[in-house]
Every structure is written in structure tokens, then in C-alpha cells.
């Protein structure tokens, strides 16, 4: 099972991706998590990405593609994967196709979570509040200003991927505003 989760920030890609990873026993690969880990250890990639992430922009294609290429070459990813937050540009989507093509592989499908953007801001505020309640540090980019920039980045660079994958016949569009369990069930049904 090789899936891509598509949708704006706060759409539920992480939550649903995690559930799918468990269901299909494949790793969930989140480029946001990879980059946050790099920022934490102050690696060269982390140092290059930090200010861009803090302001809600997109980290350069080459850097992100390099991270994904390395991660996909690891043993556990040979069974399949759920990509969460990648690709985010057409260049990344083409690079992913080429990477898979080189091993004669294709994506199984692309799950697009359709959401009401008005409600996303509330979801992000809730996610930040939940992190605080658990005694965790909220994500630096989970605040209304950065969220607006992240949504703008999504509209400018990522939304076109719906068409890209629709044209490939791989797009599965799911109503992401329903209750979490219902969204999971709808995704599994769409995949069956
Ligand atoms: P996420 O956790 O997916 O919301 O990602 C958090 C931040 O990491 C994004 O706002 C971007 O700055 C950066 N990022 C994550 N994935 C990518 C990607 N595929 N391309 C460019 N930047 C990314």
C-alpha cells in the first residue's frame, strides 16, 4: 500500500495517516515530522528549514525530496508507506513518481481530505491547546498568523496536485469534515 495524504494544514492528514499506517502495517512518513526532528538536533537541514517553517513557507524542493528519497530507501518502507505532507509541489510529485518508477512501482492512491477552510483555524487552535493541556510544547507554527501563511502556501503550490493526481486516475476525494472514525471508514471504503 503506497498512499499520499493530500489536504490543507489541519485537514486531518496526520490523524488519518496514522490510522492507515496501523491498518496496513506500513510506516507513516511525515516530512513535517522529519523536518521538525532535524530542527531539534540543529542538523544542516534543520538549520536551513527552521525560519521557513516558523513563518509557514515551504522548504526547498531539493532538500525535502532528498529527505524522502533517503527515508523511502529504508527497509520498513519497502512494504509500502503513507506519505503525509509530501508532495507539496508539482516538482515534488514528479520527483516521487520518478523515484517509484525507478523501482517499477506506482502509488496505490492519493487520499484528498476535503475540508472547510473557515473551520481549519479552529482546529489548529484546538491542536495547540491540546498540546499545552498535555504539558507539551505546541508546534511553533500552530498559531493564526502562521496558519494563514500555511494556507496561502497550500493554495499557491499544493492545491494543483488535486488535478495532477486526478489526471493520473489516482485521486480519492474524501469529506474530511465528518467525525474522525467516519472519515477513516470512508477512506478504507474508497480504497477497497
Ligand atoms: P506539516 O507538519 O506537514 O504541516 O509541515 C510543517 C512545515 O514543514 C510546513 O509548513 C513546511 O514549512 C515544512 N514542510 C513539510 N513538508 C514539506 C514539503 N513536502 N515541502 C516543503 N515544505 C514542507
Amino acid at each position: 500500500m503506497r498512499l499520499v495524504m493530500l489536504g490543507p494544514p489541519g485537514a486531518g492528514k496526520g490523524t488519518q495517516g496514522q490510522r492507515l499506517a496501523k491498518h496496513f502495517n506500513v510506516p507513516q512518513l511525515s516530512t513535517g515530522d522529519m523536518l521538525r526532528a532535524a530542527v531539534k538536533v540543529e542538523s544542516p537541514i534543520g538549520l536551513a528549514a527552521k525560519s521557513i517553517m516558523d513563518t509557514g513557507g515551504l522548504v526547498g524542493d531539493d532538500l525535502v525530496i532528498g529527505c524522502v528519497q533517503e527515508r523511502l530507501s529504508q527497509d520498513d518502507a519497502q512494504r509500502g508507506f503513507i506519505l503525509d505532507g509530501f508532495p507539496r509541489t508539482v516538482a515534488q510529485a514528479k520527483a516521487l513518481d520518478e523515484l517509484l518508477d525507478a523501482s517499477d512501482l506506482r502509488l496505490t492512491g492519493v487520499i484528498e481530505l476535503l475540508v472547510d477552510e473557515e473551520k481549519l483555524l479552529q482546529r489548529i487552535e484546538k491542536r495547540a491547546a491540546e498540546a499545552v493541556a498535555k504539558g507539551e510544547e505546541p508546534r511553533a507554527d500552530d498559531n493564526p498568523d502562521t496558519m494563514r501563511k500555511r494556507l496561502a502556501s497550500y493554495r499557491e503550490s499544493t492545491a494543483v496536485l488535486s488535478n495532477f493526481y486526478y489526471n493520473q486516475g489516482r485521486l480519492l476525494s474524501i469529506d474530511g469534515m465528518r467525525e474522525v472514525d467516519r472519515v477513516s471508514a470512508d477512506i478504507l471504503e474508497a480504497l477497497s
Side-chain angles (χ1 to χ4, degrees), residues 98-115:
E98 279 167 25
L99 260 172
L100 293 174
D101 219 32
S103 307
D104 212 14
L105 296 172
R106 309 278 170 271
L107 284 173
T108 311
V110 175
I111 311 290
E112 177 187 43
L113 294 175
L114 300 170
V115 287

Side-chain angles (χ1 to χ4, degrees), residues 31-32 35-36 52-53 56-59 64 85-88 92 139 141 150:
T31 42
L35 292 168
R36 278 185 288 279
I52 301 170
M53 292 172 75
L58 291 185
V59 175
V64 184
F86 181 94
R88 259 176 159 101
Q92 292 179 15
R139 280 173 48 167
D141 57 358
R150 288 163 68 200

Side-chain angles (χ1 to χ4, degrees), residues 10-187:
K13 301 187 297 295
T15 303
Q16 296 298 335
Q18 209 170 15
R19 288 172 166 226
L20 286 166
K22 204 167 164 200
H23 184 89
F24 292 111
N25 190 28
V26 293
Q28 176 194 23
L29 311 181
S30 151
T31 42
D33 286 349
M34 291 178 208
L35 292 168
R36 278 185 288 279
V39 168
K40 207 166 171 188
V41 299
E42 298 183 345
S43 71
I45 290 177
L47 293 174
K50 185 176 183 336
S51 60
I52 301 170
M53 292 172 75
D54 283 350
T55 50
L58 291 185
V59 175
D61 286 333
D62 290 349
L63 203 148
V64 184
I65 291 165
C67 288
V68 169
Q69 182 166 17
E70 203 220 296
R71 186 61 187 87
L72 287 184
S73 71
Q74 292 173 14
D75 281 352
D76 62 342
Q78 306 317 307
R79 293 196 305 272
F81 51 78
I82 313 290
L83 273 170
D84 160 13
F86 181 94
R88 259 176 159 101
T89 64
V90 172
Q92 292 179 15
K94 287 184 175 164
L96 176 62
D97 279 351
E98 279 167 25
L99 260 172
L100 293 174
D101 219 32
S103 307
D104 212 14
L105 296 172
R106 309 278 170 271
L107 284 173
T108 311
V110 175
I111 311 290
E112 177 187 43
L113 294 175
L114 300 170
V115 287
D116 174 354
E117 287 195 14
E118 299 277 301
K119 304 249 168 72
L120 291 181
L121 216 54
Q122 292 167 19
R123 277 198 183 179
I124 291 287
E125 280 167 0
K126 192 168 157 226
R127 182 158 80 185
E130 279 169 359
V132 172
K134 278 194 269 174
E136 295 167 5
E137 184 90 7
R139 280 173 48 167
D141 57 358
D142 271 353
N143 64 70
D145 281 349
T146 311
M147 179 63 184
R148 267 184 272 279
K149 181 75 202 305
R150 288 163 68 200
L151 275 172
S153 300
Y154 180 80
R155 279 190 221 104
E156 270 165 36
S157 310
T158 313
V160 290
L161 293 183
S162 295
N163 258 334
F164 181 91
Y165 287 122
Y166 176 81
N167 290 334
Q168 286 191 353
R170 295 210 159 80
L171 192 71
L172 300 168
S173 298
I174 305 288
D175 179 355
M177 295 312 291
R178 303 176 102 170
E179 198 240 321
V180 179
D181 285 342
R182 184 59 208 248
V183 176
S184 303
D186 288 348
I187 294 174

